[in-house]
Amino acid sequence: MGLFTKAKNKPASPLKQMATARISSVYNRIKNMWARWVETRTAAFTKKNWLTAIACLIILMGGYSGYLIMSAFTSEPTAFLKVGSIRRPAHTGNTGDTKIQEFISEGEYKNIERFHRYMDSIARDPMGRKEYDSITKARPGLMDSISQFERYYQQFKEK
């Protein structure tokens, strides 16, 4: 896929074509209604009326533009974006790498071990297998993470 390649025209689905045609027809109907309304309201305008309307429009738009230009030079500057200091999250070090917690409490380990045993027991039970599958489907790497955590804890305990 190149940078300047021509996009391939895929045929639009019939549903999209119908929706586009419907939106286009509604837009054209509203546009025509607006044009007829403006035409009936301005049908009796003389050249003097048109010149007056255009002069009023020019005066209003010119005055507003002048106001914006003058306020840019005379008013206090307002900051739309406030730039503050960026605080580093507590779980990162000076290099930006995530700090690894070196100590895992016995209670945390027991909770995870208890959860692992629970998951193993429902995986073996025919009635619980459905719940196990739904948990592992919703959280695909959960059991791998628990196994890695237990290995990490065992390595940490040996040191």
Side-chain angles (χ1 to χ4, degrees), residues 6-8 22 32 53-56 78 82 84 107 118 120 123 126 148 154 157:
K6 186 176 178 181
K8 295 180 182 177
R22 179 79 174 143
N32 289 335
I54 291 174
C56 288
T78 57
K82 295 185 180 184
Y118 168 74
D120 285 344
Q148 284 180 334
Q154 293 302 326
K157 202 172 182 182

Side-chain angles (χ1 to χ4, degrees), residues 50-64:
W50 279 113
L51 290 175
T52 305
I54 291 174
C56 288
L57 185 66
I58 289 171
I59 290 170
L60 286 172
M61 293 299 117
Y64 184 64

Side-chain angles (χ1 to χ4, degrees), residues 88 92-97 99:
R88 186 175 346 112
T92 59
N94 289 337
T95 61
D97 295 335
K99 291 180 185 175

Side-chain angles (χ1 to χ4, degrees), residues 132-151:
Y132 177 83
D133 289 340
S134 70
I135 291 171
T136 54
K137 186 176 180 182
R139 293 166 180 83
L142 178 66
M143 297 311 293
D144 294 333
S145 298
I146 289 174
S147 298
Q148 284 180 334
F149 178 80
E150 288 176 336
R151 279 194 302 267

Side-chain angles (χ1 to χ4, degrees), residues 39-85:
E39 186 178 1
T40 58
R41 297 292 186 260
T42 60
F45 273 24
T46 63
K47 186 176 182 179
K48 186 177 180 180
N49 292 111
W50 279 113
L51 290 175
T52 305
I54 291 174
C56 288
L57 185 66
I58 289 171
I59 290 170
L60 286 172
M61 293 299 117
Y64 184 64
S65 297
Y67 166 74
L68 289 176
I69 291 170
M70 292 302 292
S71 67
F73 291 114
T74 59
S75 66
E76 291 292 321
T78 57
F80 293 107
L81 296 174
K82 295 185 180 184
V83 180
S85 63

